[in-house]
Amino acid sequence: MARALAGTSARILIVERGDFVPQEAENWSPEAVWKDLRYRTQERWVDSRGREFQPYTHYNVGGNTKFWGAVLYRMRREDFKAMQHRGGVSPAWPLDYEALAPYYDRAEQLYHVRGDSGHDPTEPPRGPFPYMPVPHAEGMEAIVQQLRDLGLHPSPLPLGIQRPGEADGCRLCNTCNSFACRVHAKSEADVVGIRPALRSAAGRVQLWTNSCARRLLTDGRGRRIAAVEIERGGEIVRVETPLVVLSAGAINSAALLLRSASDRHPDGLANSSGLVGRRYMAHLATMMQGFHPLKMNSTVFQKTVAINDYYLQGRKTPHPLGSIQSQGRTHGVMAQTVVPWIPVGAYDWWVARGVDWLVMSEDLPTSSNRVTLTGDGRIQLHYTPNNLRAHRQLVRETKRILRRLGFPLVVKHSHGARNTTHQCGTLVVGTDPTQSVLDPFCRAHDVENLFVVDASFFPSSSAVNPGLTIIAQALRVADHIRETELKVEIENPCRVRLQAERV
Ligand SMILES: Cc1cc2nc3c(=O)[nH]c(=O)nc-3n(C[C@H](O)[C@H](O)[C@H](O)COP(=O)(O)OP(=O)(O)OC[C@H]3O[C@@H](n4cnc5c(N)ncnc54)[C@H](O)[C@@H]3O)c2cc1C
Ligand code: SF4
Protein backbone atom coordinates (compact mmCIF):
# COMPACT_ATOMS: atom_id res chain seq x y z
CA MET A 1 0.00 0.00 0.00
CA ALA A 2 2.79 2.42 0.95
CA ARG A 3 4.72 1.65 -2.20
CA ALA A 4 1.63 1.92 -4.40
CA LEU A 5 0.77 5.35 -2.98
CA ALA A 6 4.36 6.61 -2.72
CA GLY A 7 4.26 8.45 -6.05
CA THR A 8 1.02 10.30 -5.32
CA SER A 9 0.35 13.65 -3.71
CA ALA A 10 -0.20 11.95 -0.35
CA ARG A 11 2.13 12.44 2.58
CA ILE A 12 2.40 9.06 4.22
CA LEU A 13 3.45 8.17 7.74
CA ILE A 14 4.06 4.45 8.33
CA VAL A 15 3.78 3.52 11.99
CA GLU A 16 5.52 0.25 12.89
CA ARG A 17 5.71 -1.10 16.40
CA GLY A 18 8.92 -3.05 15.73
CA ASP A 19 12.28 -2.19 14.19
CA PHE A 20 14.22 -3.26 11.10
CA VAL A 21 15.45 -6.85 11.29
CA PRO A 22 19.26 -6.50 11.19
CA GLN A 23 21.21 -8.34 8.50
CA GLU A 24 23.34 -10.61 10.73
CA ALA A 25 24.65 -14.16 11.00
CA GLU A 26 21.73 -15.12 13.26
CA ASN A 27 19.25 -14.59 10.38
CA TRP A 28 20.22 -18.03 9.13
CA SER A 29 20.92 -19.73 12.47
CA PRO A 30 18.38 -22.46 13.33
CA GLU A 31 19.43 -22.14 17.00
CA ALA A 32 18.79 -18.37 17.06
CA VAL A 33 15.49 -18.68 15.22
CA TRP A 34 14.04 -21.85 16.71
CA LYS A 35 15.69 -22.23 20.13
CA ASP A 36 16.22 -18.61 21.20
CA LEU A 37 13.17 -17.31 19.25
CA ARG A 38 15.34 -14.26 18.54
CA TYR A 39 12.95 -12.51 16.18
CA ARG A 40 9.58 -13.45 17.67
CA THR A 41 7.50 -11.13 19.75
CA GLN A 42 7.91 -11.57 23.49
CA GLU A 43 4.25 -10.67 23.90
CA ARG A 44 1.99 -13.23 25.53
CA TRP A 45 -1.58 -13.85 24.36
CA VAL A 46 -4.12 -16.09 26.07
CA ASP A 47 -6.25 -18.85 24.59
CA SER A 48 -9.95 -19.43 25.15
CA ARG A 49 -9.24 -21.17 28.48
CA GLY A 50 -7.13 -18.29 29.70
CA ARG A 51 -3.79 -20.09 29.24
CA GLU A 52 -0.88 -17.89 28.17
CA PHE A 53 1.11 -18.60 25.03
CA GLN A 54 3.81 -16.91 22.98
CA PRO A 55 2.28 -16.36 19.54
CA TYR A 56 4.18 -17.34 16.41
CA THR A 57 4.25 -13.78 15.11
CA HIS A 58 6.85 -11.08 14.45
CA TYR A 59 6.77 -7.33 15.04
CA ASN A 60 9.25 -5.67 12.71
CA VAL A 61 9.42 -3.70 9.48
CA GLY A 62 7.88 -6.02 6.88
CA GLY A 63 5.87 -7.90 9.50
CA ASN A 64 5.55 -11.65 9.12
CA THR A 65 6.50 -11.54 5.44
CA LYS A 66 10.09 -11.11 6.62
CA PHE A 67 9.99 -14.72 7.84
CA TRP A 68 7.65 -16.27 5.33
CA GLY A 69 8.35 -19.01 2.86
CA ALA A 70 7.46 -16.67 -0.03
CA VAL A 71 5.08 -19.26 -1.51
CA LEU A 72 2.89 -16.79 -3.38
CA TYR A 73 -0.32 -18.33 -4.70
CA ARG A 74 -3.35 -16.85 -6.37
CA MET A 75 -6.54 -18.07 -4.80
CA ARG A 76 -8.39 -20.44 -7.10
CA ARG A 77 -11.34 -19.06 -9.06
CA GLU A 78 -13.66 -21.36 -7.07
CA ASP A 79 -12.38 -19.94 -3.77
CA PHE A 80 -14.22 -16.68 -4.48
CA LYS A 81 -17.57 -18.52 -4.72
CA ALA A 82 -19.58 -20.26 -2.03
CA MET A 83 -18.33 -23.82 -1.75
CA GLN A 84 -19.70 -26.80 0.16
CA HIS A 85 -17.04 -28.38 2.35
CA ARG A 86 -17.26 -31.45 4.54
CA GLY A 87 -17.53 -29.24 7.59
CA GLY A 88 -19.90 -26.57 6.19
CA VAL A 89 -20.08 -23.84 3.58
CA SER A 90 -17.18 -21.60 2.68
CA PRO A 91 -18.89 -18.27 1.95
CA ALA A 92 -18.63 -16.29 -1.30
CA TRP A 93 -16.46 -13.18 -1.57
CA PRO A 94 -18.05 -9.88 -2.65
CA LEU A 95 -15.56 -9.81 -5.53
CA ASP A 96 -14.69 -12.50 -8.03
CA TYR A 97 -11.37 -13.77 -9.34
CA GLU A 98 -11.64 -11.56 -12.43
CA ALA A 99 -11.78 -8.42 -10.24
CA LEU A 100 -8.51 -9.35 -8.55
CA ALA A 101 -6.73 -10.93 -11.56
CA PRO A 102 -5.06 -7.71 -12.87
CA TYR A 103 -3.84 -6.98 -9.35
CA TYR A 104 -2.48 -10.51 -9.00
CA ASP A 105 -0.52 -9.77 -12.20
CA ARG A 106 0.93 -6.61 -10.63
CA ALA A 107 1.57 -8.33 -7.30
CA GLU A 108 3.49 -11.14 -9.02
CA GLN A 109 5.61 -8.59 -10.90
CA LEU A 110 6.34 -6.63 -7.76
CA TYR A 111 7.21 -9.71 -5.71
CA HIS A 112 9.20 -11.45 -8.49
CA VAL A 113 7.03 -14.54 -8.45
CA ARG A 114 8.55 -17.54 -10.22
CA GLY A 115 6.40 -20.33 -11.56
CA ASP A 116 5.15 -22.14 -14.63
CA SER A 117 1.51 -22.18 -15.64
CA GLY A 118 -0.25 -25.14 -17.25
CA HIS A 119 0.66 -27.85 -14.71
CA ASP A 120 -1.69 -27.24 -11.81
CA PRO A 121 -5.21 -28.61 -12.47
CA THR A 122 -6.73 -25.96 -10.17
CA GLU A 123 -4.94 -22.96 -11.64
CA PRO A 124 -7.23 -20.02 -12.42
CA PRO A 125 -7.09 -18.38 -15.89
CA ARG A 126 -3.84 -16.46 -16.13
CA GLY A 127 -0.95 -15.46 -18.40
CA PRO A 128 2.61 -16.68 -17.98
CA PHE A 129 4.44 -16.07 -14.69
CA PRO A 130 6.74 -13.03 -14.77
CA TYR A 131 9.79 -15.15 -13.84
CA MET A 132 10.92 -18.70 -14.67
CA PRO A 133 10.26 -21.36 -12.00
CA VAL A 134 13.00 -22.41 -9.60
CA PRO A 135 14.32 -25.70 -11.04
CA HIS A 136 13.78 -28.80 -8.91
CA ALA A 137 16.88 -30.23 -7.25
CA GLU A 138 17.80 -33.69 -8.49
CA GLY A 139 16.07 -35.52 -5.63
CA MET A 140 12.87 -33.49 -6.03
CA GLU A 141 12.91 -33.98 -9.81
CA ALA A 142 12.89 -37.74 -9.18
CA ILE A 143 9.96 -37.34 -6.78
CA VAL A 144 8.08 -35.23 -9.33
CA GLN A 145 8.52 -37.97 -11.92
CA GLN A 146 7.28 -40.60 -9.44
CA LEU A 147 4.24 -38.42 -8.66
CA ARG A 148 3.42 -38.19 -12.36
CA ASP A 149 3.76 -41.97 -12.64
CA LEU A 150 1.13 -42.22 -9.89
CA GLY A 151 -1.25 -40.21 -12.11
CA LEU A 152 -0.93 -37.00 -10.07
CA HIS A 153 -0.27 -33.50 -11.44
CA PRO A 154 2.66 -32.00 -9.52
CA SER A 155 3.25 -28.34 -10.29
CA PRO A 156 6.06 -25.87 -9.53
CA LEU A 157 5.44 -23.94 -6.29
CA PRO A 158 5.06 -20.21 -7.09
CA LEU A 159 7.93 -18.57 -5.20
CA GLY A 160 8.88 -14.95 -4.58
CA ILE A 161 12.65 -15.15 -4.59
CA GLN A 162 14.99 -12.88 -6.49
CA ARG A 163 17.90 -13.49 -8.85
CA PRO A 164 18.60 -17.14 -7.87
CA GLY A 165 22.14 -18.17 -8.77
CA GLU A 166 23.33 -14.58 -9.40
CA ALA A 167 26.13 -13.04 -7.32
CA ASP A 168 23.85 -10.86 -5.14
CA GLY A 169 20.81 -13.07 -5.48
CA CYS A 170 19.10 -16.00 -3.82
CA ARG A 171 21.48 -18.79 -2.84
CA LEU A 172 18.74 -21.43 -2.72
CA CYS A 173 19.72 -22.18 0.87
CA ASN A 174 17.99 -24.36 3.45
CA THR A 175 17.11 -21.52 5.85
CA CYS A 176 14.33 -19.68 4.03
CA ASN A 177 10.90 -20.45 5.50
CA SER A 178 10.73 -19.08 9.09
CA PHE A 179 14.12 -17.31 8.67
CA ALA A 180 14.87 -13.76 7.50
CA CYS A 181 16.94 -13.63 4.33
CA ARG A 182 20.43 -12.40 5.22
CA VAL A 183 21.12 -11.26 1.66
CA HIS A 184 17.71 -9.63 1.07
CA ALA A 185 16.92 -11.89 -1.87
CA LYS A 186 13.51 -12.97 -0.56
CA SER A 187 10.56 -10.91 -1.76
CA GLU A 188 8.99 -9.56 1.40
CA ALA A 189 7.30 -6.32 2.41
CA ASP A 190 10.41 -4.67 3.91
CA VAL A 191 12.58 -5.17 0.81
CA VAL A 192 9.86 -4.91 -1.85
CA GLY A 193 7.49 -2.41 -0.24
CA ILE A 194 8.79 -0.20 2.54
CA ARG A 195 12.40 0.52 1.51
CA PRO A 196 11.55 1.42 -2.12
CA ALA A 197 8.64 3.59 -0.88
CA LEU A 198 10.98 5.49 1.47
CA ARG A 199 13.59 5.93 -1.28
CA SER A 200 11.22 6.95 -4.06
CA ALA A 201 9.14 9.67 -2.55
CA ALA A 202 11.57 12.46 -1.59
CA GLY A 203 10.41 12.84 1.97
CA ARG A 204 6.71 12.30 1.34
CA VAL A 205 6.87 8.85 2.96
CA GLN A 206 8.09 8.65 6.54
CA LEU A 207 8.57 5.61 8.74
CA TRP A 208 8.35 5.62 12.51
CA THR A 209 9.75 2.42 13.96
CA ASN A 210 9.30 1.27 17.58
CA SER A 211 6.00 3.12 17.54
CA CYS A 212 2.89 1.26 18.61
CA ALA A 213 -0.58 2.46 17.62
CA ARG A 214 -2.72 2.18 20.75
CA ARG A 215 -6.09 3.64 19.77
CA LEU A 216 -7.92 5.31 16.92
CA LEU A 217 -9.76 8.40 18.15
CA THR A 218 -12.87 9.62 16.34
CA ASP A 219 -14.32 13.10 15.90
CA GLY A 220 -17.40 14.27 17.81
CA ARG A 221 -19.83 12.61 15.40
CA GLY A 222 -17.93 9.36 15.65
CA ARG A 223 -17.97 8.92 11.87
CA ARG A 224 -14.34 9.86 11.12
CA ILE A 225 -11.01 9.14 12.74
CA ALA A 226 -9.56 12.40 13.97
CA ALA A 227 -6.25 11.08 15.30
CA VAL A 228 -4.17 8.01 16.00
CA GLU A 229 -2.74 7.61 19.48
CA ILE A 230 0.78 6.21 19.33
CA GLU A 231 3.23 5.06 21.99
CA ARG A 232 6.68 6.19 20.90
CA GLY A 233 9.95 6.59 22.79
CA GLY A 234 8.21 6.37 26.18
CA GLU A 235 5.65 9.04 25.27
CA ILE A 236 2.15 9.04 23.93
CA VAL A 237 1.75 11.15 20.78
CA ARG A 238 -1.35 11.89 18.79
CA VAL A 239 -1.14 12.08 14.99
CA GLU A 240 -3.92 13.81 13.08
CA THR A 241 -4.45 12.61 9.57
CA PRO A 242 -7.29 12.72 7.02
CA LEU A 243 -6.98 9.03 6.15
CA VAL A 244 -5.98 5.95 8.12
CA VAL A 245 -4.96 2.60 6.64
CA LEU A 246 -4.83 -0.05 9.34
CA SER A 247 -2.52 -2.99 8.50
CA ALA A 248 -1.54 -4.53 11.83
CA GLY A 249 -2.35 -8.14 10.84
CA ALA A 250 -5.68 -9.90 11.32
CA ILE A 251 -5.38 -10.33 15.08
CA ASN A 252 -3.82 -6.98 15.98
CA SER A 253 -6.05 -4.95 13.65
CA ALA A 254 -9.13 -6.42 15.32
CA ALA A 255 -7.60 -5.86 18.76
CA LEU A 256 -6.84 -2.22 17.93
CA LEU A 257 -10.43 -1.58 16.87
CA LEU A 258 -11.69 -3.22 20.07
CA ARG A 259 -9.26 -1.09 22.12
CA SER A 260 -10.61 2.01 20.35
CA ALA A 261 -14.02 1.66 22.02
CA SER A 262 -15.52 5.00 23.10
CA ASP A 263 -18.87 6.49 24.14
CA ARG A 264 -19.90 6.61 20.47
CA HIS A 265 -18.60 3.10 19.80
CA PRO A 266 -18.98 1.20 23.09
CA ASP A 267 -18.35 -2.23 21.51
CA GLY A 268 -15.27 -1.12 19.61
CA LEU A 269 -14.70 1.01 16.54
CA ALA A 270 -16.34 -0.03 13.24
CA ASN A 271 -18.27 -2.68 15.14
CA SER A 272 -21.96 -1.90 14.53
CA SER A 273 -22.26 -5.38 12.99
CA GLY A 274 -20.78 -6.97 16.13
CA LEU A 275 -18.34 -8.79 13.84
CA VAL A 276 -15.05 -7.12 14.77
CA GLY A 277 -12.71 -9.96 15.79
CA ARG A 278 -15.12 -12.71 14.72
CA ARG A 279 -14.72 -15.30 11.94
CA TYR A 280 -11.04 -15.71 12.71
CA MET A 281 -9.40 -18.37 10.54
CA ALA A 282 -5.86 -19.73 10.38
CA HIS A 283 -5.79 -22.81 8.08
CA LEU A 284 -5.54 -26.42 9.17
CA ALA A 285 -1.89 -27.27 8.72
CA THR A 286 0.10 -30.46 9.31
CA MET A 287 3.81 -30.90 8.68
CA MET A 288 4.60 -34.35 7.30
CA GLN A 289 7.84 -36.10 6.59
CA GLY A 290 8.57 -39.16 4.49
CA PHE A 291 11.48 -40.96 6.17
CA HIS A 292 13.79 -43.70 4.89
CA PRO A 293 16.52 -44.92 7.31
CA LEU A 294 18.85 -45.92 4.48
CA LYS A 295 18.41 -42.92 2.19
CA MET A 296 20.08 -39.58 2.86
CA ASN A 297 18.18 -36.60 1.50
CA SER A 298 20.80 -34.46 -0.25
CA THR A 299 18.39 -31.75 -1.45
CA VAL A 300 19.20 -28.30 -0.05
CA PHE A 301 16.36 -26.18 -1.49
CA GLN A 302 13.40 -28.51 -1.31
CA LYS A 303 10.46 -26.13 -1.52
CA THR A 304 9.64 -26.39 -5.24
CA VAL A 305 6.63 -28.68 -5.78
CA ALA A 306 2.91 -28.73 -5.02
CA ILE A 307 0.20 -31.37 -5.43
CA ASN A 308 -3.23 -29.78 -5.82
CA ASP A 309 -5.10 -32.78 -7.23
CA TYR A 310 -7.32 -32.92 -4.14
CA TYR A 311 -7.78 -29.17 -3.74
CA LEU A 312 -11.34 -29.04 -5.11
CA GLN A 313 -12.38 -32.65 -4.63
CA GLY A 314 -10.93 -35.66 -2.83
CA ARG A 315 -10.33 -39.09 -4.33
CA LYS A 316 -13.17 -40.59 -2.29
CA THR A 317 -15.24 -37.50 -1.56
CA PRO A 318 -16.88 -34.75 -3.62
CA HIS A 319 -15.63 -32.19 -1.07
CA PRO A 320 -12.43 -30.11 -1.24
CA LEU A 321 -9.47 -31.34 0.80
CA GLY A 322 -6.67 -28.79 0.27
CA SER A 323 -3.09 -28.38 -0.89
CA ILE A 324 0.06 -30.48 -0.42
CA GLN A 325 3.35 -28.57 -0.74
CA SER A 326 6.97 -29.59 -0.35
CA GLN A 327 8.54 -27.65 2.52
CA GLY A 328 11.94 -26.21 3.37
CA ARG A 329 14.25 -28.73 5.07
CA THR A 330 13.56 -29.32 8.76
CA HIS A 331 16.57 -28.70 11.02
CA GLY A 332 17.30 -30.82 14.11
CA VAL A 333 16.68 -27.92 16.52
CA MET A 334 13.34 -27.19 14.85
CA ALA A 335 12.24 -30.80 15.33
CA GLN A 336 13.52 -30.76 18.91
CA THR A 337 10.93 -28.13 19.84
CA VAL A 338 8.32 -30.94 19.61
CA VAL A 339 9.95 -33.26 22.19
CA PRO A 340 12.76 -31.24 23.80
CA TRP A 341 14.33 -34.04 25.89
CA ILE A 342 15.39 -36.05 22.83
CA PRO A 343 19.01 -35.04 22.02
CA VAL A 344 19.42 -32.78 18.99
CA GLY A 345 21.93 -35.26 17.47
CA ALA A 346 19.14 -37.83 17.16
CA TYR A 347 16.94 -35.31 15.40
CA ASP A 348 19.78 -34.27 13.08
CA TRP A 349 20.20 -37.94 12.08
CA TRP A 350 16.46 -38.21 11.55
CA VAL A 351 15.87 -35.06 9.48
CA ALA A 352 18.88 -35.83 7.24
CA ARG A 353 16.84 -38.81 5.98
CA GLY A 354 13.47 -37.11 5.58
CA VAL A 355 11.60 -35.23 2.86
CA ASP A 356 9.31 -32.53 4.29
CA TRP A 357 5.78 -31.55 3.25
CA LEU A 358 3.11 -29.11 4.38
CA VAL A 359 -0.49 -30.30 4.16
CA MET A 360 -3.00 -27.45 4.32
CA SER A 361 -6.80 -27.35 4.34
CA GLU A 362 -9.40 -24.62 4.58
CA ASP A 363 -10.96 -23.82 7.93
CA LEU A 364 -14.39 -22.21 7.88
CA PRO A 365 -15.45 -18.88 9.39
CA THR A 366 -17.60 -19.16 12.51
CA SER A 367 -18.76 -16.51 14.88
CA SER A 368 -17.26 -18.20 17.94
CA ASN A 369 -13.70 -18.31 16.55
CA ARG A 370 -12.68 -14.81 17.47
CA VAL A 371 -10.29 -12.26 18.93
CA THR A 372 -11.31 -10.53 22.16
CA LEU A 373 -9.49 -8.54 24.84
CA THR A 374 -8.90 -9.64 28.41
CA GLY A 375 -9.77 -7.31 31.27
CA ASP A 376 -6.18 -5.98 31.24
CA GLY A 377 -6.27 -5.37 27.46
CA ARG A 378 -4.34 -8.43 26.27
CA ILE A 379 -5.26 -10.39 23.17
CA GLN A 380 -7.40 -13.45 23.75
CA LEU A 381 -7.73 -15.90 20.89
CA HIS A 382 -10.72 -18.24 20.85
CA TYR A 383 -10.18 -20.88 18.17
CA THR A 384 -11.63 -24.34 17.77
CA PRO A 385 -10.51 -25.84 14.46
CA ASN A 386 -13.31 -27.04 12.14
CA ASN A 387 -13.54 -28.92 8.83
CA LEU A 388 -11.18 -31.40 10.49
CA ARG A 389 -12.51 -34.48 8.71
CA ALA A 390 -11.45 -33.02 5.36
CA HIS A 391 -8.00 -32.22 6.72
CA ARG A 392 -7.55 -35.67 8.23
CA GLN A 393 -8.51 -37.19 4.90
CA LEU A 394 -5.85 -35.08 3.13
CA VAL A 395 -3.27 -36.14 5.72
CA ARG A 396 -4.20 -39.80 5.01
CA GLU A 397 -3.91 -39.21 1.25
CA THR A 398 -0.48 -37.62 1.74
CA LYS A 399 0.63 -40.56 3.85
CA ARG A 400 -0.55 -42.94 1.13
CA ILE A 401 1.36 -40.96 -1.53
CA LEU A 402 4.56 -40.83 0.54
CA ARG A 403 4.40 -44.58 1.16
CA ARG A 404 4.00 -45.17 -2.57
CA LEU A 405 7.02 -42.93 -3.17
CA GLY A 406 9.02 -45.46 -1.14
CA PHE A 407 9.13 -43.97 2.35
CA PRO A 408 8.46 -46.77 4.87
CA LEU A 409 7.79 -44.31 7.67
CA VAL A 410 5.72 -41.12 7.61
CA VAL A 411 5.68 -38.79 10.61
CA LYS A 412 3.45 -35.78 11.17
CA HIS A 413 3.16 -32.82 13.49
CA SER A 414 0.71 -29.94 13.85
CA HIS A 415 0.90 -26.76 15.95
CA GLY A 416 -2.90 -27.01 16.16
CA ALA A 417 -5.02 -24.16 17.46
CA ARG A 418 -2.06 -21.93 18.36
CA ASN A 419 -0.71 -21.68 14.82
CA THR A 420 -1.32 -18.03 13.98
CA THR A 421 0.94 -17.82 10.90
CA HIS A 422 -1.94 -17.76 8.38
CA GLN A 423 -4.29 -15.70 10.57
CA CYS A 424 -7.10 -14.01 8.62
CA GLY A 425 -10.75 -13.05 8.55
CA THR A 426 -11.41 -10.95 11.66
CA LEU A 427 -12.76 -7.85 9.83
CA VAL A 428 -14.61 -9.36 6.95
CA VAL A 429 -15.48 -7.54 3.69
CA GLY A 430 -19.02 -7.51 2.32
CA THR A 431 -21.71 -5.33 0.84
CA ASP A 432 -24.16 -5.60 3.75
CA PRO A 433 -23.06 -3.50 6.78
CA THR A 434 -24.97 -5.80 9.12
CA GLN A 435 -23.00 -8.82 7.89
CA SER A 436 -19.55 -7.35 7.38
CA VAL A 437 -17.12 -4.79 8.84
CA LEU A 438 -15.54 -3.50 5.62
CA ASP A 439 -16.90 -2.74 2.17
CA PRO A 440 -15.41 -4.57 -0.84
CA PHE A 441 -12.67 -1.90 -1.09
CA CYS A 442 -11.78 -2.50 2.57
CA ARG A 443 -13.26 0.78 3.83
CA ALA A 444 -14.96 0.45 7.23
CA HIS A 445 -18.74 0.67 6.81
CA ASP A 446 -18.98 2.75 9.99
CA VAL A 447 -15.94 5.04 9.65
CA GLU A 448 -15.51 7.13 6.49
CA ASN A 449 -11.75 7.58 6.56
CA LEU A 450 -10.65 4.14 7.75
CA PHE A 451 -9.37 1.39 5.44
CA VAL A 452 -8.11 -1.95 6.71
CA VAL A 453 -5.68 -3.63 4.36
CA ASP A 454 -4.21 -6.84 5.71
CA ALA A 455 -5.28 -10.45 6.17
CA SER A 456 -8.34 -9.49 8.21
CA PHE A 457 -10.58 -8.75 5.21
CA PHE A 458 -10.80 -12.41 4.05
CA PRO A 459 -14.39 -13.79 4.03
CA SER A 460 -12.94 -17.32 3.72
CA SER A 461 -9.41 -18.68 4.11
CA SER A 462 -9.16 -20.87 0.95
CA ALA A 463 -6.42 -23.50 1.20
CA VAL A 464 -3.57 -21.61 -0.43
CA ASN A 465 -1.09 -19.33 1.29
CA PRO A 466 -2.67 -15.90 1.90
CA GLY A 467 0.15 -13.46 1.05
CA LEU A 468 -0.36 -12.78 -2.65
CA THR A 469 -4.08 -12.15 -2.13
CA ILE A 470 -3.33 -9.61 0.62
CA ILE A 471 -0.87 -7.84 -1.69
CA ALA A 472 -3.23 -7.89 -4.70
CA GLN A 473 -6.09 -6.45 -2.64
CA ALA A 474 -3.74 -3.77 -1.22
CA LEU A 475 -2.88 -2.69 -4.77
CA ARG A 476 -6.58 -2.66 -5.68
CA VAL A 477 -7.47 -0.56 -2.64
CA ALA A 478 -4.54 1.78 -3.38
CA ASP A 479 -6.00 2.41 -6.86
CA HIS A 480 -9.39 3.06 -5.26
CA ILE A 481 -7.85 5.54 -2.79
CA ARG A 482 -6.06 7.33 -5.63
CA GLU A 483 -9.35 7.65 -7.53
CA THR A 484 -11.51 8.72 -4.60
CA GLU A 485 -9.70 10.08 -1.56
CA LEU A 486 -6.62 11.66 -3.14
CA LYS A 487 -8.68 13.57 -5.74
CA VAL A 488 -10.71 15.02 -2.90
CA GLU A 489 -7.56 15.92 -0.98
CA ILE A 490 -6.03 17.74 -3.94
CA GLU A 491 -9.19 19.77 -4.39
CA ASN A 492 -9.12 20.56 -0.70
CA PRO A 493 -5.40 20.87 0.12
CA CYS A 494 -5.80 22.36 3.59
CA ARG A 495 -6.98 18.94 4.77
CA VAL A 496 -3.70 17.29 3.77
CA ARG A 497 -2.13 17.78 7.14
CA LEU A 498 -0.15 15.48 9.29
CA GLN A 499 0.28 16.81 12.74
CA ALA A 500 1.84 15.17 15.72
CA GLU A 501 1.51 16.49 19.26
CA ARG A 502 2.56 15.09 22.59
CA VAL A 503 -0.27 14.38 25.00
C1 LIG B 1 6.95 -18.48 9.39
C2 LIG B 1 5.88 -17.97 8.45
C3 LIG B 1 5.84 -18.46 7.15
C4 LIG B 1 4.86 -17.99 6.27
N1 LIG B 1 4.91 -18.42 4.96
C5 LIG B 1 4.05 -17.90 4.07
C6 LIG B 1 4.17 -18.20 2.68
O1 LIG B 1 5.06 -18.92 2.26
N2 LIG B 1 3.26 -17.65 1.85
C7 LIG B 1 2.26 -16.81 2.28
O2 LIG B 1 1.47 -16.35 1.46
N3 LIG B 1 2.13 -16.51 3.59
C8 LIG B 1 3.01 -17.02 4.49
N4 LIG B 1 2.91 -16.66 5.81
C9 LIG B 1 1.81 -15.78 6.21
C10 LIG B 1 2.12 -14.33 5.86
O3 LIG B 1 3.36 -13.95 6.38
C11 LIG B 1 0.99 -13.45 6.38
O4 LIG B 1 -0.22 -13.87 5.79
C12 LIG B 1 1.20 -11.97 6.07
O5 LIG B 1 2.44 -11.51 6.52
C13 LIG B 1 0.07 -11.18 6.69
O6 LIG B 1 0.25 -9.83 6.37
P1 LIG B 1 -0.48 -8.73 7.24
O7 LIG B 1 -0.18 -7.43 6.60
O8 LIG B 1 -1.88 -9.14 7.46
O9 LIG B 1 0.20 -8.80 8.70
P2 LIG B 1 1.70 -8.85 9.22
O10 LIG B 1 2.64 -9.36 8.19
O11 LIG B 1 1.65 -9.55 10.52
O12 LIG B 1 2.07 -7.32 9.44
C14 LIG B 1 1.51 -6.56 10.47
C15 LIG B 1 2.47 -5.44 10.83
O13 LIG B 1 1.85 -4.55 11.73
C16 LIG B 1 2.72 -4.28 12.83
N5 LIG B 1 1.85 -3.96 13.97
C17 LIG B 1 0.98 -4.78 14.61
N6 LIG B 1 0.32 -4.10 15.55
C18 LIG B 1 0.76 -2.82 15.50
C19 LIG B 1 0.44 -1.64 16.24
N7 LIG B 1 -0.49 -1.65 17.21
N8 LIG B 1 1.10 -0.48 15.94
C20 LIG B 1 2.06 -0.45 14.96
N9 LIG B 1 2.40 -1.56 14.25
C21 LIG B 1 1.74 -2.72 14.51
C22 LIG B 1 3.54 -5.55 12.98
O14 LIG B 1 4.74 -5.32 13.67
C23 LIG B 1 3.75 -5.94 11.51
O15 LIG B 1 4.85 -5.26 10.96
C24 LIG B 1 3.88 -17.09 6.72
C25 LIG B 1 3.91 -16.61 8.02
C26 LIG B 1 4.91 -17.02 8.89
C27 LIG B 1 4.95 -16.49 10.29
S1 SF4 C 1 19.00 -16.87 -0.10
FE1 SF4 C 1 17.13 -17.50 -1.18
S2 SF4 C 1 16.52 -19.40 -0.20
FE2 SF4 C 1 18.01 -18.39 1.18
S3 SF4 C 1 16.71 -17.14 2.58
FE3 SF4 C 1 17.30 -15.82 0.86
S4 SF4 C 1 15.58 -16.02 -0.58
FE4 SF4 C 1 15.43 -17.74 0.83
Side-chain angles (χ1 to χ4, degrees), residues 421-434:
T421 56
H422 286 188
Q423 57 182 272
C424 64
T426 53
L427 304 168
V428 63
V429 282
T431 48
D432 179 352
T434 67

Side-chain angles (χ1 to χ4, degrees), residues 15-18 56-73 177-179 211-214 247-250 252-253 256 259 303 325 420-423 453-456 464-468 470:
V15 179
E16 166 57 53
R17 70 190 294 171
Y56 188 0
T57 200
H58 307 85
Y59 295 151
N60 48 261
V61 177
N64 281 299
T65 70
K66 199 78 198 167
F67 299 90
W68 69 4
V71 174
L72 293 179
Y73 262 107
N177 188 26
S178 77
F179 297 83
S211 303
C212 186
R214 298 190 343 159
S247 303
N252 270 293
S253 285
L256 187 61
R259 284 193 192 107
K303 194 181 52 170
Q325 304 175 2
T420 55
T421 56
H422 286 188
Q423 57 182 272
V453 183
D454 57 21
S456 49
V464 291
N465 319 53
L468 196 73
I470 302 170

Side-chain angles (χ1 to χ4, degrees), residues 28 160-162 169-177 179-187 301 303:
W28 281 344
I161 58 176
Q162 306 193 8
C170 168
R171 301 177 188 186
L172 296 175
C173 68
N174 66 356
T175 44
C176 195
N177 188 26
F179 297 83
C181 180
R182 192 180 172 186
V183 294
H184 281 190
K186 178 155 70 175
S187 299
F301 192 83
K303 194 181 52 170

Side-chain angles (χ1 to χ4, degrees), residues 56 70 76 89 133 144 155 179 193 289 331 414 417 423 445 494:
Y56 188 0
R76 317 289 88 176
V89 174
V144 166
S155 50
F179 297 83
Q289 194 185 52
H331 297 263
S414 171
Q423 57 182 272
H445 290 299
C494 61

Side-chain angles (χ1 to χ4, degrees), residues 61-91:
V61 177
N64 281 299
T65 70
K66 199 78 198 167
F67 299 90
W68 69 4
V71 174
L72 293 179
Y73 262 107
R74 295 177 182 219
M75 276 174 36
R76 317 289 88 176
R77 196 183 211 169
E78 294 80 356
D79 289 323
F80 291 86
K81 301 175 183 160
M83 214 189 321
Q84 183 65 49
H85 282 249
R86 250 188 121 150
V89 174
S90 167

Side-chain angles (χ1 to χ4, degrees), residues 16-131:
E16 166 57 53
R17 70 190 294 171
D19 211 329
F20 283 99
V21 174
Q23 282 177 276
E24 56 183 7
E26 287 84 350
N27 292 163
W28 281 344
S29 157
E31 283 76 16
V33 170
W34 279 93
K35 211 168 173 178
D36 307 339
L37 306 182
R38 182 176 176 86
Y39 303 108
R40 258 187 235 183
T41 175
Q42 294 301 310
E43 207 174 51
R44 295 289 189 275
W45 297 350
V46 295
D47 66 14
S48 48
R49 290 165 63 186
R51 292 170 302 192
E52 267 195 0
F53 67 99
Q54 184 176 0
Y56 188 0
T57 200
H58 307 85
Y59 295 151
N60 48 261
V61 177
N64 281 299
T65 70
K66 199 78 198 167
F67 299 90
W68 69 4
V71 174
L72 293 179
Y73 262 107
R74 295 177 182 219
M75 276 174 36
R76 317 289 88 176
R77 196 183 211 169
E78 294 80 356
D79 289 323
F80 291 86
K81 301 175 183 160
M83 214 189 321
Q84 183 65 49
H85 282 249
R86 250 188 121 150
V89 174
S90 167
W93 286 41
L95 56 156
D96 57 16
Y97 171 74
E98 280 64 29
L100 218 48
Y103 296 99
Y104 275 134
D105 290 345
R106 280 172 54 189
E108 285 178 349
Q109 282 283 352
L110 199 60
Y111 275 70
H112 284 239
V113 180
R114 310 183 153 271
D116 196 20
S117 54
H119 302 271
D120 183 339
T122 66
E123 187 173 73
R126 58 161 303 137
F129 278 85
Y131 295 88

